[in-house]
Amino acid sequence: MENKVGRILPDDLMAKMNLKPYESDEIGHPEVQRVAPKVRVTAGENKVVSSLEEVIKNNLKDGMTISFHHHFRNGDFAFNQVMDKIIELGYHDLTLAPSSLTGVMNDKVIEAIKKGVITNITSSGMRGSLGDFVSHGGLKNPVIFRSHGNRARSIEEGEIKIDIAFLGVPVSDPAGNANGQDGDAVFGSLGYALMDAKYADKVVLLTDNIVDYPNTPASIQQDQVDYVVKVDKIGDPDKIGSGATRFTKDPKELLIAQTVNKVIVNSPYFKQGFSFQTGSGGAALAVTRYLRQSMLDAGITASFALGGITKPTTDLLAEGLVKKVMDVQDFDKGAALSMAQNKDQQEIDASWYADPHNKGAVVNNLDVAILSALQIDTDFNVNVMTGSDGVIRGAIGGHQDAAKAKMTIITAPLVRGRNATIVPAVETVVTPGSSIDVVVTERGIAINPKRQDLLDAFSHVPGLKILPIAELQKLAEKQVGKPKKLEYTDRTVALIQYRDGTIIDTIKQVKD
Amino acid sequence: MEVKTTGVAGTLESSDIQITISKNASGIVIDLESEVKKAYGDQIESVIKDTLTKYGLANCKVKAVDKGALDCVIKARTLAAAQRATETSDKPDLEVL
């Protein structure tokens, strides 16, 4: 069958997994039924245990679903400790349902797949050796990729039923009151893990830092927690801030950032009390700096900044240019430390942040989203999941969710090395073109034709070169040439869900 | 024209290509390493081959390590490596470009 973004979906798999094709980015007003976790009642005594092995043996069974969060990013010591034990104990057929998978987890996941310990995965994304392994057919069942908002929805509606959540925290008390703001390995917001704490049948905290009861602020609460496992070390503070976050000196990215700033300032949304979300891409980070100056010049302040938060954003909060930070995760140490110091940096869970099936998520209140892309096509569809070689190397993150902002800006250089970024058709559709309003490259900007209002607003702005997106695509092709079409096998290695759980695209095994 | 010594041109920087030309008994043999080999491998090899042929080099071994170079870069690096390999750098044939 073909879905509404023109992607052919495998009928047999769709029927077998009871999946529906993507229709529209409008969510509407469906009535949904949420699920609730099973609770083993205790008065809370003896939660602290030193043997991770005992906890696993007494609770985990073959075929169960286990979850983790990725707030420690590449400084995570929780995942590998738990998986080592699970592999050692010889479990089979587990479903792995983390909020996302970071590079430090890759080799352990591959080992677990090869030994039959893990047979199903759902995640926001994967990169490096694991993405390569899956793209080459290493996992029998297709991976299901979900955005952060969609993961929250899927957990609430029981599509992801977590049997045991293993959640690393830098601090907890003996009863399980925990947060991400104190201890050696602080990462700030526990936003994604809060879903697991609320909905998993068993919640196992792992920490190297048990403090006196009661520990506040309690992001995860004692009434949700079954065990507190004491480990030697839960994370490497120096590596939590690494990964996607970097500060650019690249003149091309700076030009893109300046242009984005120009787009925002000249849009109808740039007024007292506006709101914005920037991703963690190089250009997106630099935008924050330019936006700061524009806000000072215009004498306006933002009501809130949303999303994955970085230090440039918390600096704006400290300066009073942003009134509130709605914080689902922190990309660097500066942002993480700021959460403990500034009450206006509000921790939000993934449902509050971006869930399409609740009574209104923060993304629905968002004016401007600045997001990055691996590829954008002439229908404005965005790929943040597969490289130009067709191999999995990305994550949906909050891309589909934040793209519901009133103005969604995609930033990307026209080409990266020899790969065109603006292409006739993306390898993988992750965010539908209908959600995208403006594409900013160093050679010019393209505006989605459905946004005549923005076209009118920007057409008189000096220095903003507006081109049809097909023109940008041709410029890119002229530079790098026409690539040979990639070859895939018929086998589906991953499914890309849209926010509402419908299938927007699939990823096939690459041919080598 | 004949290969007299091993000629190298280019770096392993992003968007560059390193071309190493050495002796070969007959024909042009290209060993290409590239991150974009699937999409552009054929194109890269044909640019190298065309440039060498135009320069009059029919027999040589080419080791190409590509880091996403554009065609103009590939031509320039191939030509430079060919001049160094044939020891003709003092009288460059710019017409080939």
Side-chain angles (χ1 to χ4, degrees), chain A residues 225-280:
Chain A
V225 177
D226 293 271
Y227 301 96
V228 179
V229 180
K230 179 88 165 69
V231 297
D232 291 339
K233 207 162 164 41
I234 194 61
D236 179 349
D238 294 333
K239 290 188 177 155
I240 294 170
S242 67
T245 309
R246 66 200 166 89
F247 221 94
T248 188
K249 286 190 178 117
D250 181 340
K252 193 155 68 175
E253 286 191 329
L254 290 173
L255 175 61
I256 291 171
Q258 276 172 336
T259 310
V260 170
N261 180 54
K262 215 172 263 182
V263 165
I264 296 171
V265 169
N266 289 285
S267 76
Y269 307 107
F270 188 66
K271 54 186 186 212
Q272 176 56 36
F274 82 113
S275 59
F276 65 92
Q277 169 164 352
T278 59
S280 63

Side-chain angles (χ1 to χ4, degrees), chain A residues 398-443:
Chain A
H399 205 284
Q400 296 170 341
D401 306 309
K404 293 307 287 178
K406 296 185 184 75
M407 179 170 75
T408 301
I409 302 167
I410 303 293
T411 65
L414 195 66
V415 301
R416 288 189 177 96
R418 196 169 181 153
N419 294 314
T421 310
I422 318 278
V423 293
V426 288
E427 284 306 318
T428 309
V429 180
V430 172
T431 301
S434 55
S435 296
I436 308 302
D437 301 298
V438 186
V439 173
V440 175
T441 75
E442 77 279 19
R443 298 288 294 274

Side-chain angles (χ1 to χ4, degrees), chain A residues 37-92:
Chain A
K38 201 177 281 171
V39 175
R40 183 181 165 271
V41 177
T42 75
E45 59 279 297
N46 307 325
K47 282 189 192 176
V48 178
V49 291
S50 55
S51 168
L52 181 59
E53 184 170 326
E54 287 303 311
V55 171
I56 293 170
K57 273 198 204 156
N58 293 336
N59 293 282
L60 188 61
K61 294 192 179 70
D62 287 346
M64 279 187 165
T65 296
I66 55 174
S67 78
F68 300 84
H69 68 71
H70 71 293
H71 287 291
F72 286 111
R73 306 175 72 75
N74 274 319
D76 189 299
F77 287 179
F79 184 84
N80 287 345
Q81 283 186 57
V82 174
M83 284 312 301
D84 270 338
K85 269 286 169 254
I86 291 177
I87 292 169
E88 187 190 311
L89 291 169
Y91 282 95
H92 284 99

Side-chain angles (χ1 to χ4, degrees), chain B residues 72-91:
Chain B
C72 49
V73 177
I74 299 168
K75 271 186 209 168
R77 294 304 193 191
T78 305
L79 187 59
Q83 286 168 353
R84 285 166 193 166
T86 54
E87 293 179 345
T88 54
S89 298
D90 53 335
K91 37 182 190 282

